[in-house]
Amino acid sequence: MPRRDSGARRKAVRSDHGPRTTDHGPLGGCHERPDARAKVAGSTRYVADLALPGMLHAAAAVSPTAAARLVALDTAAARAVAGVVAVLTAADIPGANLVGVIFPDQPLLVADRVRMVGDRLAVVAARSPEAAWRAAALVEATLEPLPAVHDPVAALAAGAARVHDGGNLVKAFRVARGDTRRARADVVVEAVYHVGGQEHAYLEPQGCLAIPEGRTRITIVASCQCPFYVQQAVARVLGLPLAAVRVEQAPTGGGFGGKEDYPSEPAACAAVLAFATGRPVRFVLPRELDMQGSTKRHAMVIRHRWGASRDGRLRFAEVDTVLDAGAYAGISTVVGERANVSAIGPYHVPNVLVTTRVAYTDNLFGGAFRGFGAPQVTWAAEATIDRLARAVGLDPLEFRRRNVLDDRRRRTCTGQLLPRPVLARACLDRAAELAGWDEFHARERAAGPEREGLGIGLALYGCNLHHGGQHLDRSSAVVIVQADGSVVVRVGLTEIGQGNLTACQTIAAQALGVDPAVVQVWQPDTTTVADSGPTVASRGAHASGMAILDAVRRLRARLDPVAAELLGCRPDQVVLANGRAAIAGEPGRSVEVAAVAAEMAARRIEAAATGWYRSRPRRFDAESGLGAPYESYAVACHVAKVHVDAELGLIRVAEVAAAHDVGRVIHRGALEGQIEGGVVQGVGWGTTERLALERGRLANPSFTDYLIPTAADAPKVTIAVLEGAPSGGPFGAKGIGEPSLIPAAAAVRNAVVAALGVEIDTLPLTPPTVVAALGDAHPFAWVAEEENEDARSAAAPASR
């Protein structure tokens, strides 16, 4: 089913928009306009629709096994296929055979060792896609099997088969605050959670078009989130300077993180083929290979030992997380560091010890996915919070109220002091009110196989890049006012359906005092703006918006004096609103902004400016995990109502109440779309989206067998928006893309547990998992237990 975050998952979401707990303030005029969606200039065709004269089609020969030594590669049969122009192996790469975005551990084409099913052995260029894939299937590899490891915990044990020569521990993180061993608690809860991965399920598969200009320059048009990552990877494999590689983002049919780092790989494949043949090369992955070879949400094994007093006050929390990186590091360490500092949630806990280890396995490798590790650890934390509430005899809502961060207790688990107001309690109470928490628990429910339950998920999310990635937390924008008063805006962060360019349009229009309809926002292009870092971590509107505001500030240093001359006032008296320049306090005296622009053109005054944003420097000690990992935070609370068939283990999520701390609303429609889509995607991950891995191979690489929610499965979503908490974003706005997903699966899990009265420690909550949790009393338990073992073994191998 389409999910709302990017155009890929949009149409099928139903929503009751519910109460409006916000007024829109000075931005309100832009929020509800049907014509205020961004006018996006640039390519309007998806990669699969692009074609050029003489264009070739790419395909890849991939490994069918997860661990082997490459002994020989025979490409003769592939080269003999009619229409084949080139077959390339690792020896043919002109530059470095490396595509790892952080660690130099991943080759573009295997030279000696296979580490996962789907590793590329060779790439083919042919005159038709059919010929290319036929030839790729004829590449013969002689592979010598090697011992494989698929369990991330076992991968860290002594004597485990090594995925890389340096060992299987990629990196470790910790947070150590207080003393958990000396902390006194009346009740102690211990649990081990097996949290499975997730397929991004974007509707448009990975794809790109490489256009060479001799052997000195190349243009890449790609379905991607991070054009500058693609630029760096292509420059590396071709041995070119960055300035010789132009990357333009094509309209992108969904991302969710799956088009952050992975698009660099197909782009590099197409680029080496284009350079070798001197012709444009298009590479579009078929769905099965896309699902088999691309990154996934990381699976994790999370151990908890938490303690509380009899009156329901948290005393300590110990968390040990092992994250399955898969065969290559990718950006698993980025996910690991966020998971590490997010493991406690928005709760006051005086004594904390969190350890997070990132482990290599021979599974599919992990990458970015909406939430960056926070959904997994939040799922575990919220499960333990409910466990503790039951252990001390408190209602789960009341237990959270006693422990949630607020204006009195403002320090996170890393010791960072949050600015007031802290809206965690407000979000909790508002979501509970919308869900009818008290009324639900006051009425009696009939006994029988059909059970009802309410569950809470509460999350705290850092709204920019972690301190470890602070060097990437930057953004560029160009704003040009044309002679007729229309406006061109260019930014370096991408539109993947989340509404980033609509937000950019709204912010630019507000800052210049013009109608959004006259603002054109262009697709990102690496030759028109500076490297703006990745479009991740809900930073799109935040970072782009701040860069736009900086550009407008610089531009107005030239525009305001011209307007002042026309108005007969000082430059500092000029205000821009409703398409006019006026004198502050004298609205009767004004001139159209278009007239000011025309005057600037007549005088040959530059009407363009570049803006720049970088997050404020922060202090964070990586050794202890203490300090300020993020500049600002958003709180999200979901309360889910579920119906569970206790005989069949079937779950139906009927309603979700979602309360979000958003700082300031920029565009109401886009905001609600993000929340609705995030809820549905989180529900799917929590209930049906099981990655069935068998010795590293994905056994369900299609939407027939990998079950995402349909329109009929989407719950009614009621939304409350809370404004006013501090933010460093434009006009006080915070990111919403990831907070909208993070608590959803946790709320569903807790609702199911409340309905059935049994603990469930494995995600997703598929029918076999639910039936197995019900135990031997269930008539189908022996069947379910066998299937659930498969699910648990697959939950360890997955990704970010």
Side-chain angles (χ1 to χ4, degrees), residues 66-67 146-150 161 362:
L146 293 173
V149 59
H150 298 295
D362 289 297

Side-chain angles (χ1 to χ4, degrees), residues 83 117 152 192 221 228 341 344 377 452 599 664 727 745:
V117 175
V192 180
V221 182
F228 298 98
V341 298
I344 304 301
V377 295
E452 281 186 314
E599 184 67 18
R664 184 67 176 280
S727 161

Side-chain angles (χ1 to χ4, degrees), residues 241 314 383 410 427 470 795 797:
L314 289 168
R410 296 186 288 139
C427 285
Q470 194 169 353

Side-chain angles (χ1 to χ4, degrees), residues 108-127:
L108 178 64
L109 300 176
V110 171
D112 54 3
R113 178 172 174 173
V114 167
R115 293 180 171 87
M116 61 173 267
V117 175
D119 258 344
R120 290 173 298 274
L121 306 173
V123 288
V124 177
R127 294 184 178 88

Side-chain angles (χ1 to χ4, degrees), residues 423-775:
L423 297 182
R425 172 66 184 268
C427 285
L428 176 65
D429 288 345
R430 193 73 181 98
E433 179 187 3
L434 289 178
W437 182 273
D438 292 337
E439 296 82 353
F440 178 87
H441 289 91
R443 65 180 173 85
E444 293 187 11
R445 285 170 294 283
E450 178 78 11
R451 314 281 179 82
E452 281 186 314
L454 277 187
I456 300 171
L458 186 61
L460 181 69
Y461 184 78
C463 287
N464 58 335
L465 298 182
H466 185 282
H467 180 273
Q470 194 169 353
H471 62 289
L472 296 174
D473 212 356
R474 58 187 182 238
S475 186
S476 174
V478 175
V479 177
I480 305 169
V481 177
Q482 305 284 10
D484 63 355
S486 61
V487 180
V488 171
V489 175
R490 285 191 176 274
V491 293
L493 298 177
T494 57
E495 174 63 57
I496 52 173
Q498 83 280 39
N500 182 51
L501 298 189
T502 298
C504 290
Q505 179 195 46
T506 304
I507 292 165
Q510 180 72 20
L512 287 168
V514 299
D515 192 303
V518 306
V519 178
Q520 296 266 356
V521 186
W522 285 69
Q523 293 284 132
D525 180 327
T526 58
T527 63
T528 62
V529 290
D531 187 339
S532 299
T535 307
V536 297
S538 301
R539 65 183 293 268
H542 179 130
S544 295
M546 294 302 288
I548 289 168
L549 292 179
D550 185 52
V552 171
R553 178 184 61 80
R554 297 168 189 253
L555 180 58
R556 288 194 62 177
R558 296 186 290 275
L559 184 150
D560 286 4
V562 175
E565 285 189 41
L566 297 178
L567 292 168
C569 68
R570 299 190 313 274
D572 62 359
Q573 292 179 292
V574 174
V575 294
L576 304 179
N578 302 315
R580 304 188 71 83
I583 302 174
E586 299 181 39
R589 296 174 61 187
S590 66
V591 61
E592 290 186 351
V593 172
V596 180
E599 184 67 18
M600 293 179 73
R603 298 186 190 183
R604 295 179 295 171
I605 296 174
E606 183 184 13
T610 297
W612 186 249
Y613 162 78
R614 61 177 181 174
S615 59
R616 292 190 293 268
R618 306 182 296 279
R619 291 187 177 181
F620 181 79
D621 177 42
E623 181 65 26
S624 65
L626 300 182
Y630 301 106
E631 182 176 343
S632 64
Y633 292 82
V635 178
C637 184
H638 293 174
V639 177
K641 181 180 181 181
V642 304
H643 299 277
V644 186
D645 186 322
E647 292 182 345
L648 300 177
L650 295 171
I651 298 169
R652 181 171 68 86
V653 182
E655 300 176 26
V656 174
H660 285 265
D661 151 35
V662 302
R664 184 67 176 280
V665 176
I666 295 293
H667 191 287
R668 181 80 193 203
L671 176 83
E672 291 181 348
Q674 285 287 283
I675 295 172
E676 292 165 351
V679 166
V680 175
Q681 195 170 36
V683 166
W685 175 54
T687 58
T688 64
E689 297 189 36
R690 175 178 169 244
L691 287 171
L693 289 174
E694 298 175 356
R695 295 185 297 278
R697 173 185 291 279
L698 185 62
N700 55 339
S702 74
F703 293 150
T704 299
D705 301 311
Y706 182 83
L707 303 178
I708 63 175
T710 68
D713 302 314
K716 184 176 84 169
V717 181
T718 307
I719 298 169
V721 172
L722 285 73
E723 296 187 275
S727 161
F731 303 113
K734 298 182 181 182
I736 189 64
E738 286 160 305
S740 62
L741 176 143
I742 293 168
V748 170
R749 182 266 178 198
N750 287 341
V752 171
V753 168
L756 297 177
V758 295
E759 299 291 352
I760 303 178
D761 298 337
T762 299
L763 179 150
L765 276 64
T766 59
T769 298
V770 173
V771 170
L774 289 167

Side-chain angles (χ1 to χ4, degrees), residues 355-425:
T355 303
T356 304
R357 293 171 290 167
V358 180
Y360 282 127
T361 67
D362 289 297
N363 296 317
L364 307 183
F365 76 109
F369 202 130
R370 198 175 192 176
F372 272 55
Q376 296 94 312
V377 295
T378 296
W379 191 85
E382 290 301 285
T384 293
I385 289 291
D386 266 27
R387 268 189 158 101
L388 282 167
R390 285 188 285 275
V392 299
L394 281 176
D395 174 85
L397 176 61
E398 177 57 30
F399 186 89
R400 285 173 172 81
R401 284 172 172 160
R402 296 187 185 190
N403 292 284
V404 74
L405 297 176
D406 55 26
D407 284 353
R408 293 183 301 107
R409 302 171 300 189
R410 296 186 288 139
R411 290 200 181 274
T412 68
C413 70
T414 70
Q416 184 172 358
L417 187 66
L418 301 180
R420 295 185 177 94
V422 178
L423 297 182
R425 172 66 184 268

Side-chain angles (χ1 to χ4, degrees), residues 101 106 116 120 197-202 206 225 255-263 265 285 289-298 325 328-332 335 363-369 691 698 798-800:
V101 68
Q106 184 183 4
M116 61 173 267
R120 290 173 298 274
Q198 187 179 18
E199 161 63 27
H200 297 92
Y202 33 70
Q206 302 279 348
Q225 292 180 226
F256 311 107
K259 293 181 181 173
E260 179 185 345
D261 54 325
Y262 188 80
E265 299 181 33
L285 271 64
L289 182 57
D290 189 306
M291 291 182 71
Q292 175 61 61
S294 66
T295 57
K296 304 287 178 281
R297 186 185 297 282
H298 291 86
Y328 303 105
I331 48 180
S332 295
V335 176
N363 296 317
L364 307 183
F365 76 109
F369 202 130
L691 287 171
L698 185 62
S799 351
R800 162 184 169 174

